[in-house]
Amino acid sequence: MKPRRLKTSMSASKPPQEKPRKDKRRDPAVRAAPAKLARLRDAVARAEAGGGPERVAAQKARGKFTARERIHYLLDEGSFQETDLLVGSRATEFGLKDKDIPGDGVITGFGTVGGRPVCVYAQDFTVLGGSLGLAHAKKIVKIMDLALENRVPVIGLIDSGGARIQEGVDSLDGYAEIFQRNTACSGVIPQISVILGPCAGGAVYSPALTDFIFMVEGISHMFVTGPEVVKAATGEETTFDALGGPEAHAGKSGVCHFVAKSEQDCFRQVRELLSYLPQSRWERAPRLANPDPVRRATPLAEMLCELDPRRPYRIHHVIWQIADEHKFFEVQDAYARNMVIGFLRLGGDVVGVVANNPAHQAGTLTIEASGKAARFIRFLNAFNIPILTLVDVPGYLPGVHQEHGGIIRHGAKLLHAYCEATVPKISVILRKAYGGAYIAMSSKYLKGDFNFALPSAEIAVMGPAGAVEILFSRKLQEAKTPEEKAALRKTLADEYAQKFASPYQTARTGSIDEVIEPSQLRVKLARALRFLRDKRVPGSHANRGNIPL
Ligand code: HXC
């Protein structure tokens, strides 16, 4: 589909009034036209009015835009073309037979973002709380099919109390059809969900099947069951915010990927995210002209060579230096902060970054970090986006909580994601790369294409302290005093570090392709990326769903 400017039923000026003709011999069919037009205009006006002035005022009083305003702010000006405006409900029970349910509570259509086509639907909370009845579901399914068949992203603006209670199993079946479409679209076209109200039941499960979820402070809530049901079922007292607000889902559950301060800010973020994504799995992410020289130095990488290996630092500083114009679009910044993921451009090409962050939990691999990175890697692989892995990892986080929580199972997701990824894979070992975590972070024999290391890299089966305890336990026991033991420990650890705390043993085996001058980091990465642009792995064209991990 080519980008084009389309008229919107929302923003288009009113159609010009028919002027009565002077000709007495007018065709009767032509004479009937004004009445027919009036009927159309009346139907459109009623459908566009949503739940009416009172409910619209209530929506505004909550600090929320209407569904139509949301579409207007999200899409390129004037690009929205509505579909199924005149669809109505066929529900009859619980007084719905005589009730006007405009558009059955959802607006669907297509338009453009940054000149590229997208499909969109927006649930209208002013109409039966945006709840999902059968006709409402069919409209969403229809627009999702249109997106899938025309290979464009689909964006859901969700503001709904879930399955419409009055429509019984019809609304449940409606959700089932949507979930089926979400899964069919998974890994084929980007799917984005924006939560813009109190959302429950199916209204949270469909977003959970999509690639990215946005929430807005003060208005977005997500839960399977609300605080009242929670209290009735378990006796727990909670609030909308504590149970399902943006903070809970961005920081604790990991359900939400982006939090915005306002709806406007949120739509700006959605548009920015889309600028990093291809339209579908058959395309590449858009390349931009790059004003930032790839030969620009990266002083922070140089500083790493001087830094005490135990000193934490924020990995963001390194990422910003690598990125064109220092721009990094982080995903899930409040969740599992020991692992940082997001998008940047390098030499104009989009890259997905997966990086350990020594500023949190020393950058160890944890249950949450493994799941977060694994799903992102699978998304990148599905949508032809190269992966840049920045490694500074002392190992998997030890502990009963991690073991019983299933670090073996969750850590394996990370291994699986890297092993199956066939998009270009480039890694840089900045500092530590120990044991299983070294393997997991895109190492050479997980089919890394280019594996670089800085001179500050330390690559070994484990860190000096742990290795000394295992290798020299008998020798340490022979020490007569605690002071003697401590001194011996230090000597042995220094010897071990001297031998292994460098990239050179690994470079000798070919598991590292090159130990690079830190100042060359950006240019080396840009060249590698350029070279891998046309990488093809036989059999890699198969569909790859982005299952929620
Ligand atoms: C029909 C609904 C509705 C629903 C809300 N409304 N949810 N109508 N079916 N599911 C209606 C209300 O009756 C009300 O209509 C209007 O929308 C606004 O709702 P309020 O309750 O006044 O608003 P608020 O206080 O903000 O609370 C919003 C809410 C709450 C948190 C969403 O309405 C709520 O808890 N709704 C039910 C949520 C739920 O349990 N849904 C079913 C999930 S089961 P009036 O005319 O009075 O203004 C499900 C199955 C799928 O979805 C499972 C998938 C795995």
Side-chain angles (χ1 to χ4, degrees), residues 55 62 125 128-129 131 161-166 172 198 200-202 205 240:
R55 283 175 196 270
R62 288 174 160 209
F125 195 79
L128 296 179
S131 60
R164 187 173 296 154
I165 298 160
Q166 299 92 320
L172 299 180
Y205 270 113
F240 269 43

Side-chain angles (χ1 to χ4, degrees), residues 155-431:
I155 305 160
L157 307 180
I158 317 286
D159 191 357
S160 164
R164 187 173 296 154
I165 298 160
Q166 299 92 320
E167 293 199 39
V169 78
D170 273 350
S171 48
L172 299 180
D173 287 344
Y175 265 126
E177 279 207 73
I178 292 172
F179 300 159
Q180 183 66 41
R181 292 312 186 286
N182 284 134
T183 307
C185 293
S186 184
V188 182
I189 53 171
Q191 299 183 85
I192 295 172
S193 300
V194 188
I195 307 297
L196 295 165
C199 296
V204 298
Y205 270 113
S206 171
L209 288 165
T210 65
D211 300 306
F212 297 104
I213 296 180
F214 289 77
M215 294 178 84
V216 177
E217 283 173 12
I219 63 169
S220 306
H221 297 99
M222 299 177 78
F223 28 71
V224 175
T225 53
E228 279 170 29
V229 179
V230 168
K231 187 168 181 213
T234 70
E236 289 167 290
E237 299 263 6
T238 185
T239 61
F240 269 43
D241 264 331
L243 184 66
E247 214 182 299
H249 286 307
K252 292 185 183 142
S253 71
V255 163
C256 161
H257 299 83
F258 302 96
V259 177
K261 297 239 168 283
S262 65
E263 291 200 41
Q264 290 279 27
D265 176 36
C266 181
F267 299 136
R268 186 197 55 73
Q269 288 190 40
V270 173
R271 293 172 63 91
E272 188 170 351
L273 172 63
L274 282 166
S275 75
Y276 289 101
L277 307 185
Q279 291 289 89
S280 74
R281 66 177 286 262
W282 291 280
E283 288 186 22
R284 285 181 196 201
R287 185 161 203 279
L288 290 189
N290 171 36
D292 193 357
V294 288
R295 291 188 173 279
R296 172 169 57 70
T298 45
L300 213 114
E302 289 175 52
M303 278 169 62
L304 278 181
C305 295
E306 310 299 324
L307 197 67
D308 174 346
R310 283 159 304 178
R311 221 166 127 203
Y313 63 93
R314 271 186 87 197
I315 194 68
H316 299 77
H317 295 294
V318 179
I319 298 173
W320 288 323
Q321 290 204 345
I322 291 172
D324 287 354
E325 297 180 297
H326 307 276
K327 267 196 215 153
F328 176 51
F329 189 68
E330 190 170 354
V331 177
Q332 282 186 303
D333 64 353
Y335 180 72
R337 293 162 77 187
N338 42 332
M339 181 71 86
V340 169
I341 57 172
F343 299 95
L344 55 77
R345 281 195 164 82
L346 185 47
D349 283 315
V350 174
V351 177
V353 176
V354 177
N356 310 115
N357 183 15
H360 284 272
Q361 296 178 294
T364 48
L365 294 187
T366 54
I367 291 167
E368 293 80 9
S370 303
K372 171 179 171 178
R375 186 160 198 239
F376 188 58
I377 291 162
R378 299 197 77 242
F379 175 83
L380 299 174
N381 193 43
F383 290 101
N384 313 309
I385 300 174
I387 305 165
L388 169 63
T389 305
L390 300 177
V391 187
D392 191 345
V393 61
Y396 284 89
L397 180 68
V400 176
H401 173 74
Q402 288 288 310
E403 294 291 349
H404 290 183
I407 184 66
I408 298 172
R409 185 162 59 86
H410 296 287
K413 291 176 187 171
L414 185 59
L415 289 169
H416 192 285
Y418 269 124
C419 287
E420 88 178 325
T422 53
V423 290
K425 292 188 279 194
I426 304 170
S427 78
V428 187
I429 300 180
L430 303 170
R431 209 168 53 166

